[in-house]
C-alpha cells in the first residue's frame, strides 16, 4: 500500500464533515492521512474534537491580520509546509480564498458545497433551492479554483426536496449525505490517478 498523503482539513465551525473525513481516514486503504486541522476561528467546535482524536488542531484567526487576507493565508500556508502537508480538504471553511492561496494549492485543494453545483453557489443554498421550487437538491465536492464554489465537480449526492420541506430539515438530510460523499470523493480522486 503506498504511503498516505499528508493532508489538512480547514474548518470554521462544528466540523461534522471533518469528523467524517477523519473517521474515514482510519481505514488502511484511505489515501489521505490528516496531520493537522486548521480553523480561522479559535472558537470552532471541531478543534477540540480533532485534538481528542490525537490530531493537531490549530486556530489562526483572520482577525489577527487586520483584513489582510493574503497575510492570513500566508501564516496558514507556512504552518502547512512545516508539517509536510500536500493536500487540503476544505470542510465548512467560511473564508473566501485569495488567488494567492488558490494558486499555491492548485490541483491539491477540494471543497464541499451544499448544492448541486453549478446551482446555488454561495450561501443559503437550501432556502434558495426550496424557494425556486426545485424537486431535488444535494451536495458537491469540487476542485478549488479562483472563483467561489466554481471549480470542476468531482462527485455529487442528490436529495429529494419534500413537500413542506424547511431549509433546516433539508439541510439535515443533505448533511447526512455530505458525510458519505466527502470520503467517497477523496477515494475517487486517488483511485483515478
Ligand atoms: C456543510 O453544509 C458544508 O457543505 C458547508 O458548510 C457546512 C459545514 O458543516 N460548506 P460542518 O462544519 O462540516 O458540520
Amino acid at each position: 500500500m503506498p504511503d498516505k498523503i499528508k493532508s489538512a482539513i480547514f474548518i470554521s465551525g462544528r466540523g461534522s464533515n471533518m469528523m467524517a473525513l477523519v473517521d474515514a481516514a482510519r481505514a488502511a486503504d484511505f489515501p489521505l492521512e490528516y496531520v493537522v486541522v486548521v480553523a480561522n476561528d479559535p472558537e470552532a467546535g471541531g478543534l477540540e474534537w480533532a485534538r481528542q482524536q490525537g490530531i493537531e488542531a490549530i486556530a489562526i484567526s483572520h482577525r489577527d491580520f487586520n483584513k489582510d487576507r493574503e497575510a492570513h493565508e500566508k501564516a496558514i500556508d507556512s504552518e502547512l509546509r512545516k508539517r509536510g502537508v500536500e493536500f487540503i480538504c476544505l470542510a465548512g471553511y467560511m473564508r473566501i480564498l485569495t488567488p494567492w492561496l488558490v494558486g499555491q494549492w492548485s490541483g491539491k485543494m477540494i471543497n464541499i458545497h451544499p448544492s448541486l453545483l453549478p446551482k446555488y453557489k454561495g450561501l443559503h443554498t437550501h432556502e434558495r433551492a426550496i424557494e425556486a421550487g426545485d424537486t431535488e437538491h444535494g451536495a458537491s465536492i469540487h476542485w478549488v479554483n479562483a472563483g467561489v464554489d466554481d471549480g470542476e465537480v468531482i462527485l455529487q449526492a442528490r436529495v429529494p426536496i419534500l413537500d413542506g420541506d424547511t431549509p433546516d430539515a433539508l439541510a439535515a438530510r443533505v448533511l447526512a449525505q455530505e458525510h458519505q460523499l466527502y470520503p467517497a470523493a477523496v477515494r475517487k480522486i486517488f483511485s483515478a490517478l
Side-chain angles (χ1 to χ4, degrees):
M1 189 114 17
D3 283 351
K4 292 189 176 206
I5 296 160
K6 287 188 179 172
S7 303
I9 305 175
F10 286 19
I11 63 170
S12 294
R14 67 191 163 182
S16 71
N17 279 291
M18 168 202 70
M19 295 175 194
L21 288 171
V22 167
D23 284 340
R26 297 184 210 281
D29 66 344
F30 195 76
L32 305 181
E33 170 195 6
Y34 294 109
V35 297
V36 65
V37 170
V38 179
N40 64 298
D41 179 355
E43 302 296 312
L47 288 170
E48 192 48 40
W49 184 88
R51 289 180 192 128
Q52 284 164 6
Q53 312 305 306
I55 298 173
E56 189 183 9
I58 57 176
I60 302 178
S61 175
H62 58 278
R63 295 195 182 86
D64 295 340
F65 293 84
N66 198 20
K67 298 199 192 291
D68 184 342
R69 293 194 296 142
E70 210 171 285
H72 176 236
E73 292 175 346
K74 282 184 173 154
I76 293 174
D77 185 75
S78 125
E79 296 302 323
L80 301 182
R81 306 282 175 199
K82 275 187 219 164
R83 291 165 178 78
V85 167
E86 293 180 88
F87 198 85
I88 300 173
C89 297
L90 304 179
Y93 187 67
M94 300 304 284
R95 303 288 299 167
I96 292 176
L97 305 180
T98 73
W100 181 80
L101 192 75
V102 172
Q104 291 296 309
W105 292 90
S106 172
K108 296 178 181 172
M109 178 159 55
I110 60 177
N111 182 40
I112 185 161
H113 182 72
S115 80
L116 293 172
L117 290 172
K119 282 188 145 182
Y120 310 125
K121 297 173 181 177
L123 298 176
H124 310 302
T125 60
H126 311 297
E127 200 176 329
R128 287 156 67 200
I130 292 171
E131 273 172 13
D134 291 359
T135 55
E136 65 172 5
H137 185 47
S140 306
I141 309 294
H142 65 94
W143 291 103
V144 175
N145 69 9
V148 175
D149 303 324
D150 186 52
E152 185 193 339
V153 170
I154 299 158
L155 206 59
Q156 292 183 315
R158 293 172 180 274
V159 171
I161 297 182
L162 308 177
D163 283 348
D165 240 341
T166 62
D168 283 351
L170 179 57
R173 294 203 314 284
V174 171
L175 189 66
Q177 292 301 311
E178 291 181 38
H179 298 159
Q180 309 296 317
L181 181 70
Y182 214 157
V186 169
R187 286 184 181 277
K188 181 179 176 196
I189 291 166
F190 290 94
S191 67
L193 291 181

